Amino acid sequence: MHSDQNMLKRIYYKALFPSMIAILGGTVNVFFDGILVGQRMGETGIAAVNQSLSVYLLLCTLGSLLAAGSSALSAAAMGGNRQQEGQEYYSLAVEAAFAAGIILCVFAFVFSAQLAHFLGSDDTRQLVETYIRITLLGGTFKVLLYVPYYYLRLEGRTRQAAIAMTTMTVLNIVLGYLFLFVLNLGIAGAAWASNLGTIVACVMSFYFLAGKSSGFHFHLVRPKRQMLWEAARTGSPMALNNLLSSLRLISLNSIMNITGGSTMVAAFAITNNLNEFSICVQNGVPQAGSAMLGIYNGEKDVSSVKKLLSLQLRMGIVCSAVFAALLILFRGQMGQLFGTELDVRFPVACLAAGIVLATLNSVMSYYYYAIMNAGMANLITLLRIFAVPVLSAWLLRGSGGRIWLFYVIAELVTALLWIAAAALYSLKKRGRAEIYLLDDTALREGQSINFTVDCNTEAICGASERITEFCEASGFDGEQTMTISLALEELMVITSEKSMNNQGSMDVRILKLPDGGVLRIRSEGRHFNPLELADDSLEYLGVNMITQMAKKTEYQSVLGLNTLVVHI
């Protein structure tokens, strides 16, 4: 029995690269649209794609509002052993995303000419109108795509999410080249390539999620106002991110136009495309762990939440530093990549200098979203995505080339402001200044314990004996202590044999509650539910005894792991 939670690290590292690839699948669409259109149509084409991005982000806003909120609530429900509630939120997300997507796309299509006039400039309005009209024709699929994307991550199937998003990326690049350079369809070709790639990815993602091994299956539900409100409130940080990104884009395009005309707008389009590309790091690092954070928070497992956050921050520094270094190293070639002779070395360097802080700010925003503190998540999002960068750029508009420093200033000021806000909030509510904003009473008072046990009979029996000391010190009575000890031994032994081949380790958590307690055993092996398979044979005698002695026993398959929960 030891305290290192290596499973937590393994699951996070396993999800990290697929999460980054999955996000890259979305952001690369924008990135390569800029490159292909720029190479074929020049600076005017780049500017038109950049100005049209606001409509794309509006679709992302709606999809993330419903999918992110519902999946976070499903994670909390699963962590709290309310599986039926978790299923209902999934079905609600599908229904709401489909209906809302159609309504938004029809409405925006009707007013597409007015949108193009508002977003575009004199030389780009016709191109912008063409691009957004085609985007809206497939917009409902973009909204729907967020649902399986978030729920595949919740199931620990990030590899399948990455496959779908990578397929979307490859199709977008191949079709984009075909439509632009072979069929000569102009900016319409870029929009159709993006649409078709999104539709294929959406169908693939739902197909993956509909498999027999999936824990989420769609069934018609009657939307409840309270459920919709909770989903919208919980998902507001992710939706606000996309909405404010759209407003930021509009605002900064205007400021750049005031500062240096079409040349400055084109330079901003290049740095903005690179920034979108860097989202695979900025958001990929925290998204790899957000479902895990939601589960652990639902279980009130403060220790695991803190360890996972620390891991994300460390990985954020490493990954973003590597990405920033590559940008700085190749900053001289970025203009040529987008088909222009503009010198964008300083703008790209400023963008790179802000990426490390941007990633750390993003990690904390996702952290607060996962632990259901939408207020703090929204504050960080408002500051870093819109308020501070736009204000910084506006104040620097008369400084010429130094305006690009807003990339660094915005992230630094954001970090200082949210840290101060979190410390003050914590000081007021708990009497101490810290950023976690968690109720760690059970941990501080010794009412919970987390540990790892190797998958062999000797280690399991030793852990069962030693756990008695914790139970007695925590206030469990004799019968409860015996039930925990027996459950620990019987369930871990059979799981080790049937699922783990007596290799690896399992994570265990015990939580003392006012009216009893909860034992959780989590393992990485083959799908195995001893509660379902238990028969009258001698092999399952111990499992049957536990189900009779405990208040309730449950099995869950979340994050790709076997989880046994025993309520004492």
Side-chain angles (χ1 to χ4, degrees), residues 52-70 93 96-98 100-101 104-105 135-136 139-147 149-150 228 231-250 276 283 287 366 369 378 381 385-386:
S52 304
L53 187 56
S54 297
V55 174
Y56 176 87
L57 291 172
L58 190 60
L59 297 171
C60 296
T61 298
L62 184 58
S64 57
L65 176 70
L66 299 168
S70 296
F98 180 74
L104 175 62
C105 289
T135 298
L136 289 167
T140 301
F141 289 93
K142 181 62 184 176
V143 176
L144 275 170
L145 179 59
Y146 275 86
V147 178
Y149 173 71
Y150 272 91
L228 284 169
R233 184 185 65 82
T234 306
S236 61
M238 302 300 103
L240 189 64
N241 188 309
N242 289 312
L243 177 62
L244 291 178
S245 293
S246 179
L247 296 176
R248 160 184 162 135
L249 188 59
I250 295 170
E276 286 295 315
N283 290 356
Q287 279 197 20
Y366 272 89
Y369 148 75
N378 283 330
T381 301
I385 300 298
F386 181 74

Side-chain angles (χ1 to χ4, degrees), residues 8 66 80 86 109 121 123 134-135 192 211 224 247 265 319 327 360 380 402 406 415 514 542 548 564:
L8 182 152
L66 299 168
F109 190 89
S121 51
D123 54 347
I134 296 172
T135 298
W192 277 118
K224 300 174 184 176
L247 296 176
V265 172
C319 293
L327 279 184
L360 298 183
I380 296 175
R402 288 195 294 273
F406 84 87
Q548 294 174 11
L564 290 164

Side-chain angles (χ1 to χ4, degrees), residues 200-471:
V200 170
C202 186
V203 173
M204 285 181 65
S205 299
F206 273 110
Y207 174 77
F208 289 146
L209 200 58
K212 291 183 178 180
S213 62
S214 174
F216 295 97
H217 297 281
F218 174 77
H219 64 278
L220 288 173
V221 296
R222 182 178 179 180
K224 300 174 184 176
R225 183 179 301 177
Q226 184 62 29
M227 290 181 69
L228 284 169
W229 164 249
E230 283 297 319
R233 184 185 65 82
T234 306
S236 61
M238 302 300 103
L240 189 64
N241 188 309
N242 289 312
L243 177 62
L244 291 178
S245 293
S246 179
L247 296 176
R248 160 184 162 135
L249 188 59
I250 295 170
S251 302
L252 290 177
N253 270 323
S254 298
I255 294 171
M256 295 302 168
N257 190 44
I258 293 171
T259 303
S262 59
T263 299
M264 188 71 81
V265 172
F268 173 63
I270 292 172
T271 59
N272 188 63
N273 270 274
L274 292 172
N275 187 52
E276 286 295 315
F277 191 71
S278 75
I279 295 298
C280 68
V281 173
Q282 293 184 37
N283 290 356
V285 170
Q287 279 197 20
S290 62
M292 296 170 65
L293 281 172
I295 295 291
Y296 288 132
N297 185 62
E299 295 172 342
K300 303 186 188 306
D301 188 350
V302 174
S303 176
S304 295
V305 168
K306 288 183 176 181
K307 288 181 180 179
L308 183 54
L309 175 60
S310 177
L311 180 61
Q312 288 178 308
L313 290 171
R314 293 197 303 272
M315 288 305 302
I317 292 173
V318 173
C319 293
S320 58
V322 171
F323 192 95
L326 291 173
L327 279 184
I328 292 173
L329 182 63
F330 295 104
R331 67 189 184 280
Q333 289 75 45
M334 291 303 169
Q336 298 172 7
L337 182 64
F338 286 86
T340 178
E341 296 300 321
L342 287 174
D343 184 358
V344 293
R345 287 176 297 175
F346 183 67
V348 171
C350 290
L351 171 66
I355 281 180
V356 174
L357 271 176
T359 302
L360 298 183
N361 285 333
S362 181
V363 167
M364 294 308 301
S365 178
Y366 272 89
Y367 165 75
Y368 290 123
Y369 148 75
I371 67 167
M372 302 292 185
N373 193 321
M376 277 299 301
N378 283 330
L379 175 64
I380 296 175
T381 301
L382 174 63
L383 290 172
R384 71 174 294 261
I385 300 298
F386 181 74
V388 184
V390 170
L391 178 60
S392 301
W394 176 256
L395 293 176
L396 292 168
R397 70 190 185 283
S399 64
R402 288 195 294 273
I403 191 174
W404 303 107
L405 291 171
F406 84 87
Y407 278 118
V408 181
I409 294 171
E411 299 298 344
L412 179 60
V413 172
T414 294
L416 294 174
L417 290 176
W418 76 253
I419 289 173
L424 289 172
Y425 178 82
S426 177
L427 189 63
K428 181 179 178 181
K429 192 166 185 179
R430 296 187 175 87
R432 65 183 189 278
E434 47 95 16
I435 65 171
Y436 294 110
L437 306 185
L438 295 168
D439 182 4
D440 59 355
T441 304
L443 183 64
R444 288 187 292 107
E445 294 181 355
Q447 299 297 299
S448 68
I449 186 173
N450 293 51
F451 56 91
T452 299
V453 181
D454 293 330
C455 288
N456 61 72
T457 304
E458 182 180 355
I460 293 171
C461 292
S464 176
E465 293 174 3
R466 290 193 294 272
I467 202 62
T468 302
E469 298 178 8
F470 167 78
C471 292

Side-chain angles (χ1 to χ4, degrees), residues 14-29:
K14 183 179 178 181
L16 179 59
F17 185 68
S19 290
M20 294 174 68
I21 293 297
I23 293 174
L24 194 61
T27 58
V28 159
N29 283 346

Side-chain angles (χ1 to χ4, degrees), residues 475-531:
F476 286 104
D477 61 32
E479 183 178 348
Q480 292 171 332
T481 299
M482 182 179 69
T483 302
I484 292 173
S485 179
L486 182 62
L488 185 72
E489 183 173 336
E490 294 294 334
L491 294 176
M492 290 188 73
V493 166
I494 198 165
T495 300
S496 177
E497 293 176 353
K498 300 289 187 180
S499 176
M500 307 284 290
N501 294 326
N502 293 319
Q503 297 178 349
S505 60
M506 287 179 268
D507 278 0
V508 178
R509 180 170 188 256
I510 301 173
L511 173 65
K512 177 71 172 67
L513 299 174
D515 59 346
V518 176
L519 166 67
R520 183 204 71 200
I521 302 171
R522 184 164 282 151
S523 60
E524 299 175 74
R526 294 186 299 273
H527 179 86
F528 176 67
N529 180 2
L531 305 178

